[in-house]
Amino acid sequence: MAQIIVDQDRCTRCGICAKVCPSGIIDSADEANLPQVQETNALRCLYCGHCEVFCPSEALILNLRPDEKVPLPAGAGNISQEDIALYLKKRRSVRYFTSEPVPKEKILEVLDIARYAASGTNGQPVQWLVVHDPEEVKKIARLTIEWMKTLVNTPHPMSGYVPALIAAWEQGYDVICRDAPHMLFAHIPEESPIAPVDAIIALTHFDLAAPAFGIGTCWAGFVAAASMFYEPLQKELSLPPGRKFAYAMMFGNPKYKVYGIPRRKPLEVVWK
C-alpha cells in the first residue's frame, strides 16, 4: 500500500512535503518521479499528516482513511493576536456550576478537538473516561475523601492538609468536585514513559476549547491523585487492562460569567 497518494496533475514538485516530513522518509520529486515513500521506509511513518497539510497545491494526501479527508476552507481558524490573547487570559477555573447537564453531543465535540493535541511520535495514546452522571461524580468525591482519611498521621506530604478538607466535607461542602455535574479522566498505557505528558497536553486542549462551547472546567488534582493511588476508586472507575489514570478534570455549565482579567506575576524571561 502506498504511504502517500499524489495527484500528478496538481503536484508542482516543490519538495515541501519531503522537507516537513518529521521522519524524513519522503523522496523528493524530480522531472521523472512524483514524491514517494519507499516500501523499506513505510514503517517509519508517524501518520502525522505533515506532508498532506503543508502541500500548497493540495496535491498530496496521506493514505490513512483518505475518504475521510475534510477540506480546510480558506481563512478557517485564523484568529487575531488580540482575540487569542484575550481568550486565553480570561480563561478561569470554574468551581460553581449550574445543575443543567452538558449534552453528551457537546462534550464529544470538545473531545474531538482534543484528539488533535500533540503527542510524542504522534502516538496518540490518550483515551477518555467521561463520568456524565452527577451522582457518580458525588461517589468519586466521597471515595477521594476516603483516600484522604488514609493519609492522616502518615508521612504523606498531604497529611497535614487533608484534615481541613475532610472537616469541610463532613459539614456538607463538596471541596473535592465542587458539585460539578461531570468529570473527565484522561487515561494512558501503563508502560509508556511519555504518555503522562501527552495526557496533560490533551487535557489542556479540552480545557482551552471548552469555554468556546459554554463549558466551564477545573483541574481536579485531588481526584487525580486518588485515582492514581486509591484502589477502591480505581475499581469504581474500572479502566481497561493495561491502562492507568493520567489526570482528571471537573466540568459543567458555569454558574457565573467572567467580566475581567486578573493580574499575574510579572513575566520573567532569560535570553541566551
Side-chain angles (χ1 to χ4, degrees), residues 89 262-270:
K89 287 178 179 179
R263 265 66 59 206
R264 284 292 182 262
K265 294 179 181 179
L267 182 66
E268 294 187 23
V269 180
V270 175

Side-chain angles (χ1 to χ4, degrees), residues 80-147:
S80 71
Q81 297 175 14
E82 293 79 10
D83 284 344
I84 192 65
L86 290 171
Y87 179 80
L88 294 178
K89 287 178 179 179
K90 68 176 283 192
R91 178 263 166 211
R92 299 283 86 209
S93 292
V94 174
R95 296 180 178 86
Y96 293 92
F97 302 90
T98 70
S99 58
E100 180 185 6
V102 178
K104 292 182 179 180
E105 294 76 16
K106 184 180 287 189
I107 298 169
L108 288 173
E109 286 185 80
V110 186
L111 287 174
D112 190 60
I113 295 171
R115 74 187 175 98
Y116 284 85
S119 59
T121 67
N122 192 40
Q124 304 173 52
V126 182
Q127 296 178 16
W128 305 98
L129 170 63
V130 180
V131 181
H132 197 257
D133 183 354
E135 292 303 314
E136 184 65 24
V137 177
K138 291 178 182 178
K139 187 182 294 186
I140 291 169
R142 177 178 56 78
L143 288 168
T144 300
I145 288 290
E146 285 185 8
W147 169 69

